[in-house]
Amino acid sequence: MAALPFSAKSTPSKFVSSFIHSNHIRRNSRPFFITTTTCSRSRARRQLRVKNVETDEKDVATHTQQGSLATIPPDSSFIASNIKYHAEFTPSFSIESFALPKAFYATAESVRDMLIVNWNATYEYHDRLNVKQAYYLSMEFLQGRALLNAIGNLELSGAYAHALKTLGHNLEDVARQEPDAALGNGGLGRLASCFLDSLATQNYPAWGYGLRYKYGLFKQHITKDGQEEVAENWLEMGNPWEIPRNDVSYPVKFYGEVVSGLDGKKTWIGGENVMAVAYDVPIPGYKTKTTINLRLWSTKVAPEEFDLHAFNTGDHAKAYAALKNAEKICYILYPGDESMEGKSLRLKQQYTLCSASLQDIVARFERRSGESVKWEEFPEKVAVQMNDTHPTLCIPELIRILMDVKGLSWTEAWDITRRTVAYTNHTVLPEALEKWSLQLIQELLPRHVEIIKTIDEELIHTIIAEYGTEDLNLLEQKLREMRILDNIDLPDSVIGILCKSEESSAVDHVEEVDFSDEEAKTTDEVGQSKGLDTNTKNEVTFEPDPKLPKTVRMANLCIAGGHAVNGVAEIHSEIVKNEVFNDFYKLWPEKFQNKTNGVTPRRWIRFCNPGLSKIITKWIGTDDWVRNTDMLVTLRKFADNEDLQSEWREAKRINKIKVASFLKEKTGYLVNPDAMFDVQVKRIHEYKRQLLNILGIIYRYKEMKEMSPEERKAKFVPRVCIFGGKAFATYIQAKRIVKFITDVGATVNNDRDIGDLLKVVFVPDYNVSVAEVLIPGSELSQHISTAGMEASGTSNMKFAMNGCVQIGTLDGANVEIREEVGEDNFFLFGAHAHEIAGLRKERSEGKFVPDPRFEEVKAYVRTGVFGPYNYDELMGSLEGNEGYGRADYFLVGKDFPSYLDCQDKVDEAYRDQKRWTRKSILNTAGSYKFSSDRTIHEYARDIWKIEPVVLQ
């Protein structure tokens, strides 16, 4: 039998996990029980003792070896005993008290016992069957709190609530003690976590791979100066969900040099060596035994790297330099890359993820293969999905392992890699399509540069085969757009192809080529291309421009090195095919697919919105919709039912009261739960246009101030406008937007003339747990990015699932959401994606005429009504006719009048609560399409070619 990833030693007792799930649980014969002597409640002391009693150890051992899973769940009395066991025997806190923090850790460790049984059985079963497995590599996994999700998936919420009640605690209070895992930032990481939930729920054999960040991104504080960043402390008290796997580690190398042996085999020697150590986190499925794994890597060096001599001579910094250099790789998510050191650290992070994960994947393949390893079957057993371009180095790293370590030829390794790896694109923003300095990669990963150059050469030959050499202008254009190595000399094999033997042909080509600096051409003093001899044999070379950087284009490498490329919404996938990577699409149309994102309905409605979930179950007649969201469409036929509408509104109001209480706790602001709750929560970025939202609020406020109290009440629906999100620490303009929103809020919220008609609240440190509070209580959500710039979005799906009506542009998944919920139930405004380029051109030519209201609101800001801070830079970004970031690149001014008019329609609709509730119900009904279960099924069917494996 294959070794299990988590042995019995992982649990607090060798009987615990078997007992929990044993099919032979007998009420009169328990393996152990725990007695509790309770001291004075005022002292909150528990004295916990464990007593062993008679146990059929043979029976228990048999079921442990077989990985048997129970059909009989543990009762609350056993759960309470198990929690108390952990409080004494696996303590993270002193024994004197059983306060909430200790209760959380003991409860989490109790849940982990149960997960480990299913986890080991899942691993063993997949291993024994040797099924094809998918591996999802991502720099982010935004997990959120795990406790309520885990016990919900195990269908033990009631049992745990009752058990904790007997111990003097409330389950919700205990769950709030858990910090959010700081392993992600926004939609990219949350998508990855939703995918893991769906993979487990649908019984797909799959693992996730990521990095175990010590401090994550940052904890956001909001002060009078705006956003301030401090280190996240999520690991300060330990992580009860993870299992350190000190026996699973792999070497990761940086720098050094590449040498060739007599047989031509390449060896990468010297340099800096670190070790990547595995930490495993169980991911349970919903109403299934399947529990998959998220493996996170942490970095360290061997003890011998500690310079004991330097330490004893007093040079302490030198002594532990190597240790700190290794550890810092996993300190921070997305370290600032303004400096060369920051860029180097980011690249080290990406390579660590790729190298450690692929070494692990290869080792698992070899172990499963036994004595006969057939490398040509590797793509039949392994699928590797790169979540955006961060794991691009998977491609040269897999080739390196196969060639340099396993002895395969280039042809074999290249073929295996291309059939194994696939790429998900998440952006159309040019600055987000990663480009790395060739010099930096050359220094850090010299062997990989050799491999990338070979891949680039293969790609160039493919392009030449497709387009020929007759039209050098066309060929030069295709190479400029498609090459992996940008502004790099052509390889010798290509130069040979381009050599011309006839003088007339050479002259014709020379005359046809545009030798502008922009196209990286140089000419000699007689106007002929350098490197061409027009007398006899003529060589055509496209020389690099010395003034431009030499870079490696990671997205191009992903497309060339993998077998599938997918966008994440229908409109995004079309933009990818027709604009961003059109040349690649023409070359390999079969590679390109759409996989519209989805979110898990377990976390994003079943667990975070139990009141609404009960209503849905009641009216549909079953709770099967939690695993089959297609059933949500049944709600459409009840959308006008007055009883349903009444229940629906009551559930929403209860959630709004929770939001109001939360806002008071986090910000100090009091808001009226009877006002409309208008929410925009997402990463702060100019293209997401929080600036458009706050300018619209300012115009609303200005109008209010110019009216009498009676006029205000007659025209405006009361609103609470809620913002949340983090601006990247070095993104100055985004941080200005945060400061601007908080300044507007400070003015508006303290204006007695306005009162409850308008409130503006910025929620600090937005994360998954905050979203789980805000989304169920929201009524209008804003997804207002410049059309064509948001790949998909997933928060729009979460809002729709919770019956929130949306205002937005035709961008990302908004397009599909609007189709599903109905045009009348989505507030649409703004320019369309195909118009954006023309509108920017119009702006650059000085033809844009701003709406008077837009000019009015900017002037109002400049009066200083929102405080002394100088917002000239922010307002200036919306003016002028040229320059990225200036000249209103994101078309806030263009869409402003359409946005204001649309908001008037929102007010009108909200006044009719019956009409609004109908829209809300139809949004939930229309969200059926946006379950990550559906998305994962499409990945499994179309890209990974894997099948579900249900444990027997």
Side-chain angles (χ1 to χ4, degrees):
M1 179 179 292
L4 301 183
F6 315 104
S7 68
K9 293 180 181 179
S10 298
T11 63
S13 161
K14 72 175 183 177
F15 302 131
V16 171
S17 60
S18 296
F19 172 63
I20 292 172
H21 287 285
S22 172
N23 283 316
H24 292 264
I25 292 176
R26 294 186 297 271
R27 294 185 181 182
N28 60 351
S29 177
R30 291 187 177 180
F32 66 86
F33 68 87
I34 304 174
T35 62
T36 305
T37 302
T38 305
C39 298
S40 166
R41 284 185 179 272
S42 64
R43 298 177 62 190
R45 298 172 62 89
R46 266 73 169 164
Q47 296 175 339
L48 310 176
R49 299 186 184 90
V50 176
K51 296 183 179 180
N52 291 324
V53 296
E54 184 179 353
T55 305
D56 186 348
E57 294 193 30
K58 181 178 179 181
D59 189 48
V60 171
T62 299
H63 282 272
T64 301
Q65 292 171 3
Q66 293 175 351
S68 177
L69 301 175
T71 58
I72 304 174
D75 59 23
S76 61
S77 61
F78 171 75
I79 289 173
S81 297
N82 193 229
I83 291 172
K84 289 186 287 186
Y85 174 92
H86 283 288
E88 182 173 4
F89 289 96
T90 54
S92 299
F93 298 84
S94 60
I95 198 170
E96 283 81 5
S97 70
F98 191 64
L100 283 171
K102 185 172 185 176
F104 160 67
Y105 277 85
T107 302
E109 286 155 349
S110 167
V111 176
R112 192 183 69 179
D113 287 348
M114 302 184 203
L115 296 181
I116 286 175
V117 177
N118 286 355
W119 200 13
N120 280 338
T122 302
Y123 180 96
E124 189 275 337
Y125 194 60
H126 291 170
D127 213 50
R128 180 154 47 88
L129 295 181
N130 193 17
V131 294
K132 182 175 184 179
Q133 186 150 337
Y135 299 96
Y136 196 80
L137 272 64
S138 178
M139 287 294 286
E140 297 185 45
F141 285 93
L142 197 58
Q143 292 288 91
R145 292 170 175 162
L147 179 58
L148 293 181
N149 189 75
I151 63 176
N153 278 1
L154 290 169
E155 299 182 89
L156 292 174
S157 299
Y160 266 90
H162 187 267
L164 284 167
K165 187 175 181 180
T166 66
L167 298 175
H169 287 303
N170 177 276
L171 174 58
E172 286 70 26
D173 292 337
V174 170
R176 277 194 289 270
Q177 302 304 305
E178 180 177 4
D180 276 38
L183 299 172
N185 173 36
L188 182 81
R190 186 52 238 171
L191 176 77
S193 294
C194 283
F195 277 8
L196 292 184
D197 177 88
S198 287
L199 283 163
T201 297
Q202 296 189 97
N203 301 297
Y204 282 114
W207 277 21
Y209 280 104
L211 295 182
R212 182 180 178 267
Y213 303 106
K214 184 174 183 179
Y215 300 115
L217 187 69
F218 58 81
K219 185 184 287 291
Q220 181 193 52
H221 289 172
I222 300 298
T223 70
K224 61 181 179 61
D225 298 315
Q227 172 180 297
E228 292 186 2
E229 306 88 22
V230 298
E232 178 62 72
N233 61 348
W234 77 286
L235 285 174
E236 185 177 18
M237 301 305 295
N239 178 9
W241 303 108
E242 68 183 15
I243 304 291
R245 301 276 282 131
N246 294 315
D247 60 328
V248 179
S249 63
Y250 297 96
V252 179
K253 182 185 291 294
F254 303 104
Y255 306 109
E257 61 179 342
V258 181
V259 298
S260 297
L262 295 177
D263 58 356
K265 184 178 179 180
K266 299 292 184 76
T267 305
W268 185 10
I269 61 172
E272 176 184 303
N273 297 284
V274 304
M275 295 299 295
V277 181
Y279 286 74
D280 287 345
V281 180
I283 308 295
Y286 177 71
K287 290 189 177 183
T288 176
K289 301 169 185 177
T290 300
T291 300
I292 64 173
N293 191 31
L294 169 59
R295 177 158 285 180
L296 303 172
W297 300 107
S298 187
T299 44
K300 67 176 186 178
V301 293
E304 53 266 26
E305 295 293 334
F306 181 77
D307 192 336
L308 187 61
H309 175 73
F311 190 86
N312 286 331
T313 59
D315 193 350
H316 299 160
K318 179 183 178 183
Y320 53 70
L323 279 69
K324 292 299 181 185
N325 207 34
E327 290 172 358
K328 73 180 181 181
I329 293 173
C330 292
Y331 273 174
I332 301 292
L333 169 65
Y334 302 142
D337 60 355
E338 299 299 311
S339 65
M340 186 54 66
E341 291 78 8
K343 289 181 172 65
S344 176
L345 185 55
R346 277 209 190 188
L347 192 59
K348 280 186 173 182
Q349 287 184 334
Q350 294 186 4
Y351 179 61
T352 298
L353 170 64
C354 295
S355 180
S357 301
L358 281 170
Q359 289 182 73
D360 196 41
I361 291 167
V362 167
R364 298 187 73 217
F365 170 76
E366 289 183 302
R367 181 177 51 72
R368 285 184 173 187
S369 299
E371 296 180 358
S372 177
V373 178
K374 298 179 180 179
W375 289 106
E376 68 273 13
E377 295 180 357
F378 188 81
E380 307 306 318
K381 295 296 181 181
V382 171
V384 174
Q385 188 71 35
M386 301 181 295
N387 192 26
D388 216 354
T389 52
H390 306 129
T392 303
L393 290 169
C394 279
I395 294 168
E397 174 66 1
L398 181 54
I399 292 172
R400 182 194 71 83
I401 293 171
L402 294 175
M403 291 181 65
D404 299 359
V405 181
K406 304 304 175 183
L408 275 65
S409 68
W410 162 262
T411 301
E412 292 170 323
W414 178 228
D415 176 67
I416 290 169
T417 300
R418 283 188 298 173
R419 291 192 292 128
T420 300
V421 176
Y423 161 54
T424 298
N425 173 271
H426 282 280
T427 185
V428 299
L429 297 178
E431 70 272 22
L433 291 173
E434 283 189 296
K435 294 182 180 181
W436 284 100
S437 161
L438 178 65
Q439 180 181 354
L440 175 60
I441 301 183
Q442 179 70 59
E443 292 174 359
L444 204 64
L445 305 168
R447 178 62 177 127
H448 296 75
V449 168
E450 293 182 346
I451 294 170
I452 291 170
K453 285 182 177 180
T454 305
I455 297 172
D456 184 60
E457 186 172 353
E458 291 268 0
L459 176 60
I460 293 171
H461 282 285
T462 302
I463 295 169
I464 291 175
E466 179 71 15
Y467 294 101
T469 58
E470 296 302 314
D471 186 342
L472 290 185
N473 270 328
L474 175 64
L475 181 59
E476 193 273 342
Q477 175 191 345
K478 298 301 180 185
L479 293 178
R480 188 175 69 245
E481 294 295 327
M482 300 176 69
R483 281 192 67 185
I484 297 164
L485 299 175
D486 187 27
N487 201 38
I488 311 289
D489 290 308
L490 290 172
D492 292 341
S493 64
V494 176
I495 292 174
I497 293 174
L498 297 178
C499 288
K500 306 298 178 182
S501 58
E502 294 182 11
E503 179 178 347
S504 60
S505 174
V507 172
D508 287 343
H509 285 306
V510 169
E511 291 175 348
E512 289 173 2
V513 176
D514 180 1
F515 298 129
S516 66
D517 284 345
E518 180 183 356
E519 296 184 339
K521 303 294 186 295
T522 57
T523 57
D524 61 17
E525 59 270 17
V526 297
Q528 293 178 325
S529 176
K530 290 182 179 181
L532 292 180
D533 181 354
T534 58
N535 293 322
T536 54
K537 189 175 182 179
N538 297 283
E539 182 180 322
V540 176
T541 61
F542 303 153
E543 296 185 5
D545 187 337
K547 293 179 289 185
L548 296 176
K550 301 177 186 296
T551 61
V552 180
R553 296 188 281 201
M554 307 305 268
N556 293 26
L557 177 54
C558 286
I559 297 171
H563 67 90
V565 182
N566 71 275
V568 289
E570 287 180 1
I571 186 174
H572 171 240
S573 296
E574 290 305 306
I575 291 171
V576 164
K577 290 190 295 186
N578 299 325
E579 297 178 30
V580 183
F581 300 120
N582 181 247
D583 289 320
F584 285 106
Y585 175 62
K586 291 177 179 176
L587 184 62
W588 294 307
E590 71 283 355
K591 284 191 180 187
F592 287 79
Q593 303 182 23
N594 175 63
K595 295 288 174 280
T596 298
N597 284 341
V599 301
T600 167
R602 269 75 62 186
R603 181 180 289 271
W604 291 113
I605 183 168
R606 174 64 183 85
F607 302 147
C608 77
N609 199 345
L612 188 62
S613 296
K614 289 178 182 177
I615 293 170
I616 293 171
T617 296
K618 171 186 172 182
W619 286 84
I620 291 179
T622 176
D623 68 353
D624 290 348
W625 61 269
V626 181
R627 289 194 59 168
N628 179 13
T629 54
D630 285 356
M631 300 177 75
L632 290 174
V633 297
T634 306
L635 291 171
R636 287 174 177 166
K637 65 184 181 182
F638 303 119
D640 293 308
N641 185 287
E642 292 185 3
D643 290 337
L644 173 58
Q645 288 204 356
S646 177
E647 293 174 19
W648 201 271
R649 281 193 293 270
E650 180 60 23
K652 181 65 73 173
R653 193 174 192 282
I654 291 171
N655 287 328
K656 289 173 68 178
I657 291 171
K658 291 179 182 177
V659 171
S661 176
F662 176 81
L663 295 179
K664 176 65 170 64
E665 176 189 347
K666 294 296 182 182
T667 70
Y669 287 129
L670 287 169
V671 301
N672 179 11
D674 292 322
M676 178 201 295
F677 279 19
D678 172 352
V679 182
Q680 187 181 20
V681 284
K682 53 186 69 203
R683 180 166 51 96
I684 308 297
H685 197 292
E686 289 173 277
Y687 91 83
K688 293 179 183 289
R689 299 203 295 190
Q690 287 91 352
L691 190 53
L692 173 61
N693 186 351
I694 194 63
L695 288 176
I697 292 169
I698 291 170
Y699 187 80
R700 187 183 189 90
Y701 175 67
K702 181 177 180 295
E703 277 195 298
M704 287 181 176
K705 294 291 287 181
E706 294 169 351
M707 293 179 177
S708 68
E710 294 75 22
E711 289 173 325
R712 288 179 201 134
K713 290 182 180 179
K715 177 168 183 179
F716 294 106
V717 166
R719 284 207 200 193
V720 178
C721 301
I722 302 169
F723 292 84
K726 295 179 180 179
F728 190 65
T730 58
Y731 189 175
I732 302 302
Q733 196 75 322
K735 294 179 78 170
R736 285 192 183 113
I737 292 171
V738 174
K739 166 69 172 166
F740 188 36
I741 293 168
T742 58
D743 281 354
V744 172
T747 299
V748 172
N749 298 344
N750 292 292
D751 191 328
R752 294 182 179 179
D753 292 339
I754 302 304
D756 284 341
L757 274 179
L758 183 63
K759 297 291 184 185
V760 180
V761 184
F762 191 98
V763 181
D765 207 37
Y766 179 68
N767 57 22
V768 174
S769 296
V770 174
E772 289 172 328
V773 176
L774 294 182
I775 291 175
S778 62
E779 294 174 288
L780 179 75
S781 65
Q782 304 217 22
H783 305 277
I784 57 178
S785 52
T786 310
M789 303 199 75
E790 182 74 85
S792 172
T794 52
S795 64
N796 46 9
M797 302 171 184
K798 297 162 195 166
F799 280 102
M801 199 170 277
N802 282 271
C804 184
V805 184
Q806 303 190 39
I807 180 171
T809 54
L810 281 181
D811 194 30
N814 286 1
V815 178
E816 292 159 83
I817 289 173
R818 183 169 175 261
E819 289 174 356
E820 297 301 331
V821 305
E823 295 180 7
D824 292 340
N825 304 304
F826 185 104
F827 292 98
L828 177 67
F829 76 96
H832 294 191
H834 68 272
E835 301 173 314
I836 300 302
L839 290 170
R840 287 182 177 143
K841 183 174 184 293
E842 177 187 274
R843 184 66 183 253
S844 68
E845 294 171 351
K847 296 177 182 178
F848 171 65
V849 179
D851 186 279
R853 293 172 290 181
F854 186 57
E855 297 300 288
E856 192 179 322
V857 77
K858 288 187 297 175
Y860 189 58
V861 171
R862 284 175 165 140
T863 65
V865 66
F866 302 113
Y869 187 86
N870 188 337
Y871 283 108
D872 283 346
E873 284 289 334
L874 195 58
M875 295 300 104
S877 70
L878 307 175
E879 298 169 343
N881 294 318
E882 60 184 7
Y884 184 86
R886 314 284 298 182
D888 195 13
Y889 184 83
F890 301 101
L891 302 179
V892 173
K894 175 64 182 178
D895 283 350
F896 189 71
S898 174
Y899 179 70
L900 293 184
D901 294 342
C902 195
Q903 287 286 13
D904 288 340
K905 295 176 183 177
V906 171
D907 278 358
E908 178 187 353
Y910 192 78
R911 285 191 180 93
D912 183 346
Q913 278 295 290
K914 183 175 181 179
R915 175 186 171 196
W916 188 272
T917 306
R918 183 179 191 275
K919 291 177 182 291
S920 176
I921 294 169
L922 290 174
N923 265 269
T924 297
S927 68
Y928 75 94
K929 180 180 176 180
F930 304 106
S931 165
S932 51
D933 295 350
R934 184 262 316 152
T935 311
I936 282 298
H937 173 69
E938 292 181 0
Y939 272 98
R941 180 193 64 201
D942 302 332
I943 298 178
W944 304 333
K945 312 296 184 184
I946 62 173
E947 297 290 337
V949 179
V950 181
L951 271 66
Q952 302 298 327

